[in-house]
Amino acid sequence: MRFFTVFILALSTRAAVIPSRRSLNARQDTAAKLVVAHHIVGNTFPYTLQDWTNDMTLAAASGIDGFALNVGPDDFQTTQTINAFQAAEALGTNFKLFFSLDMSVLPCATVDDAAALRARVLNFTTHPNQLQVNGRALVSTFAGESCTFGQDTVADGWRSQFTQSPDLKGQITFVPSFFIDPATFTDFSGVMDGAFNFNSGWPIQVTTSFADGITSDLVGSGQGDVNDLNQFIGSNATDLQQIQDLATLAAGGAPLTYMAAVAPWFFTHFGADSFNKNFIFLADQHLYPKRWETLIAARDQIDIVEIVTWNDYGESHYIGPIEGALPTGSEVWVDNFPHQAWLDLTLYYATAFKTGTPPAIENDQIFMWARPHPVDAQAPDPVPAPTNFQLTQDQIWAVVLATAEGNVTLTDGISPPQSFDVVPGVNKLSIPIVPGGTLTGTLERNGQTVVQLATPGANFTFNGAPETFNYNVFVTSASSA
Ligand SMILES: *[C@@H]1O[C@H](CO)[C@@H](O)[C@H](O)[C@H]1NC(C)=O
Ligand SMILES: *[C@@H]1O[C@H](CO)[C@@H](O)[C@H](O)[C@H]1NC(C)=O
Ligand SMILES: *[C@@H]1O[C@H](CO)[C@@H](O)[C@H](O)[C@H]1NC(C)=O
Ligand SMILES: *[C@@H]1O[C@H](CO)[C@@H](O)[C@H](O)[C@H]1NC(C)=O
């Protein structure tokens, strides 16, 4: 409760009394930083109020201040939005919500489509749990760069029918994720109060042919020299570009809101007979912690971090529990592939982002994750291996949060164990994995075992002969307490 009161006061005080400081360094302000998570309401069909309460409680305990509610056109999504706001209010912890209007599925061709969108937003702009930024309700999108709402241009459509429409004008801070060249942000004066860089969570430019062009032995082998690709993992390049183009759009006025993304993984495998989406983005090399470290380093310039996502099972980048209604077909790659262990890493990094200081590590923790079959496995699957599968390596990725120095041993149970010295703080480690492999990690200190992570083979075994292609990841962890 207190946190957000302070946030709003800080913003209005800043605007009133320190414009000169702001013009010296537009973004080195003292406004509170926020961490939110993208929540796909389309996957919540069977949700009860208690399910929403559980999600919000777990998210808050993981350093997450709110959910960006990704909404599409189904009636049940309107009902579940109402449930979400009701649950948040009843919870009484000031957990925040805002819309991420999914313009890849919401209609946006006519003025009536815009009226429906405004009604949806206006219903909650003054709700106590609606996230307010700069004193106005935050509204975001997924896409929307093709919407005209019956006007001549996309910018005119959003401006006249949405942000400057008499009923909505002055009530929202609009931070869309338009998939456009940020050099064209200046076309969206009066529309964009900021930008959400949805794709910044992954190095999406690293396709197989891109990788082939810069490294000779990575692609196809799954075990090649990846050092040439490291520079793209967690990079701040698109953040800095969008921040600069937002400054141009702001034209010396109040700084605009920049919302960056962090994502732990990406794999989707829908055939031509369903959503027809079958690809990966590179997420090896500890993408999730590295991207967080990048955002923490640039935190002076980033207002909000949006975790992509809480529950997008279809694209394998969920960090929340597997629950609700999964997109039909995705059960094959999602069931038995928990990601919740990443929530503890999320707490560590979200706290560091918000406070500017890494939190004290109170318990030693080992995190391990791996895909379930070799990169070049063959499978009797009617849907082929996903586009860009060649980018990924047959490795176990591990992170150790260590309270003090120690010795860590990692093994897949097949190859000889490998030992590593760890230092206090975050340690990123990896070892190869081969068919039959499982996930075992041990932290010893002064001859004593401090943490033992042994994942039962029944829960996860690296399978040399899979029935279906699955480039999702199994995530597990263990703690000293
Ligand atoms: C608006 O909110 C009210 C109260 O929560 C609800 O009854 C109504 O169905 C909502 N309408 C829309 C379009 O969200
Ligand atoms: C962006 O990343 C580069 C390369 O890691 C780094 O040198 C630079 O300091 C970063 N910029 C910010 C603002 O964090
Ligand atoms: C790690 O192992 C080495 C070699 O066995 C040992 O000398 C050292 O004391 C260990 N470090 C810790 C912190 O236990
Ligand atoms: C193994 O899987 C079972 C069933 O899903 C689950 O209850 C258990 O917690 C898992 N154990 C570990 C260590 O992941």
Side-chain angles (χ1 to χ4, degrees):
M1 193 73 81
R2 208 176 97 241
F3 178 75
F4 281 93
T5 309
V6 170
F7 175 47
I8 291 159
L9 283 177
L11 283 168
S12 50
T13 306
R14 176 170 61 114
V17 302
I18 49 170
S20 60
R21 177 165 175 266
R22 196 175 61 194
S23 60
L24 280 176
N25 191 337
R27 288 181 163 272
Q28 286 220 335
D29 56 47
T30 54
K33 309 281 176 197
L34 295 175
V35 173
V36 298
H38 200 77
H39 198 299
I40 307 287
V41 180
N43 288 344
T44 66
F45 180 78
Y47 262 38
T48 60
L49 283 173
Q50 188 62 49
D51 292 323
W52 281 110
T53 305
N54 294 347
D55 275 5
M56 292 173 192
T57 304
L58 183 60
S62 310
I64 296 168
D65 303 299
F67 286 145
L69 298 175
N70 174 288
V71 289
D74 315 284
D75 288 342
F76 85 81
Q77 298 202 42
T78 301
T79 309
Q80 287 298 358
T81 301
I82 295 165
N83 286 347
F85 274 94
Q86 191 181 326
E89 188 169 8
L91 188 58
T93 59
N94 211 22
F95 192 82
K96 293 300 183 184
L97 300 171
F98 63 97
F99 282 111
S100 181
L101 304 167
D102 193 332
M103 305 315 300
S104 71
V105 288
L106 286 165
C108 58
T110 69
V111 294
D112 287 348
D113 293 338
L117 215 53
R118 295 197 306 274
R120 187 189 280 269
V121 166
L122 277 166
N123 210 13
F124 298 100
T125 44
T126 60
H127 190 283
N129 295 84
Q130 161 70 49
L131 176 59
Q132 306 288 331
V133 169
N134 296 338
R136 291 174 283 144
L138 183 67
V139 176
S140 186
T141 68
F142 176 82
E145 68 283 349
S146 305
C147 297
T148 57
F149 300 109
Q151 310 305 299
D152 287 343
T153 68
V154 170
D156 278 351
W158 281 109
R159 191 183 296 115
S160 69
Q161 302 305 308
F162 197 68
T163 58
Q164 304 300 319
S165 168
D167 49 358
L168 208 55
K169 184 176 163 56
Q171 301 204 46
I172 66 167
T173 293
F174 189 49
V175 181
S177 85
F178 292 155
F179 297 105
I180 54 176
D181 177 352
T184 66
F185 282 177
T186 45
D187 296 346
F188 290 87
S189 176
V191 177
M192 291 171 60
D193 300 307
F196 170 37
N197 191 351
F198 186 91
N199 276 340
S200 61
W202 309 274
I204 62 165
Q205 78 274 42
V206 182
T207 61
T208 302
S209 59
F210 180 97
D212 265 332
I214 58 171
T215 181
S216 55
D217 63 350
L218 167 74
V219 174
S221 75
Q223 301 293 340
D225 175 9
V226 293
N227 293 336
D228 296 332
L229 294 181
N230 275 347
Q231 61 181 303
F232 301 103
I233 305 290
S235 164
N236 61 23
T238 70
D239 304 293
L240 301 186
Q241 186 64 55
Q242 292 210 2
I243 288 165
Q244 185 183 323
D245 289 322
L246 281 176
T248 306
L249 173 59
L256 301 178
T257 298
Y258 179 65
M259 184 152 70
V262 58
W265 206 255
F266 194 110
F267 163 61
T268 185
H269 191 56
F270 294 105
D273 58 346
S274 71
F275 297 107
N276 198 21
K277 279 167 56 173
N278 184 31
F279 57 98
I280 70 165
F281 290 143
L282 181 61
D284 284 2
Q285 302 291 335
H286 307 100
L287 172 69
Y288 192 54
K290 280 188 183 159
R291 175 67 183 157
W292 268 116
E293 287 165 14
T294 295
L295 298 178
I296 291 162
R299 70 185 285 280
D300 285 350
Q301 307 190 64
I302 298 169
D303 301 294
I304 305 175
V305 171
E306 183 164 323
I307 299 164
V308 177
T309 57
W310 182 259
N311 64 339
D312 192 332
Y313 310 110
E315 295 182 354
S316 308
H317 42 65
Y318 49 97
I319 61 169
I322 298 166
E323 62 179 340
L326 274 58
T328 304
S330 67
E331 305 85 353
V332 177
W333 63 88
V334 173
D335 284 347
N336 302 316
F337 285 84
H339 290 183
Q340 254 180 277
W342 275 327
L343 287 174
D344 284 336
L345 262 192
T346 301
L347 175 62
Y348 177 83
Y349 283 117
T351 305
F353 173 76
K354 287 191 280 182
T355 64
T357 311
I361 296 171
E362 282 161 18
N363 300 304
D364 293 286
Q365 276 182 290
I366 302 177
F367 303 83
M368 296 176 84
W369 57 93
R371 290 182 295 95
H373 65 68
V375 57
D376 52 5
Q378 302 295 311
D381 183 335
V383 183
T387 300
N388 294 327
F389 77 90
Q390 300 93 334
L391 291 170
T392 187
Q393 291 185 288
D394 293 343
Q395 291 277 317
I396 296 169
W397 307 104
V399 169
V400 178
L401 294 186
T403 58
E405 288 184 359
N407 291 319
V408 166
T409 304
L410 302 178
T411 178
D412 68 353
I414 306 282
S415 307
Q418 291 190 33
S419 294
F420 305 86
D421 293 334
V422 296
V423 297
V426 181
N427 299 265
K428 302 188 200 73
L429 311 171
S430 70
I431 58 167
I433 187 168
V434 299
T438 59
L439 305 176
T440 300
T442 307
L443 170 62
E444 291 183 336
R445 184 174 295 126
N446 306 323
Q448 305 287 315
T449 297
V450 181
V451 185
Q452 174 82 52
L453 172 57
T455 304
N459 288 41
F460 175 85
T461 301
F462 198 69
N463 182 356
E467 289 297 310
T468 58
F469 292 112
N470 188 352
Y471 291 78
N472 190 6
V473 69
F474 180 94
V475 189
T476 182
S477 70
S479 174
S480 59

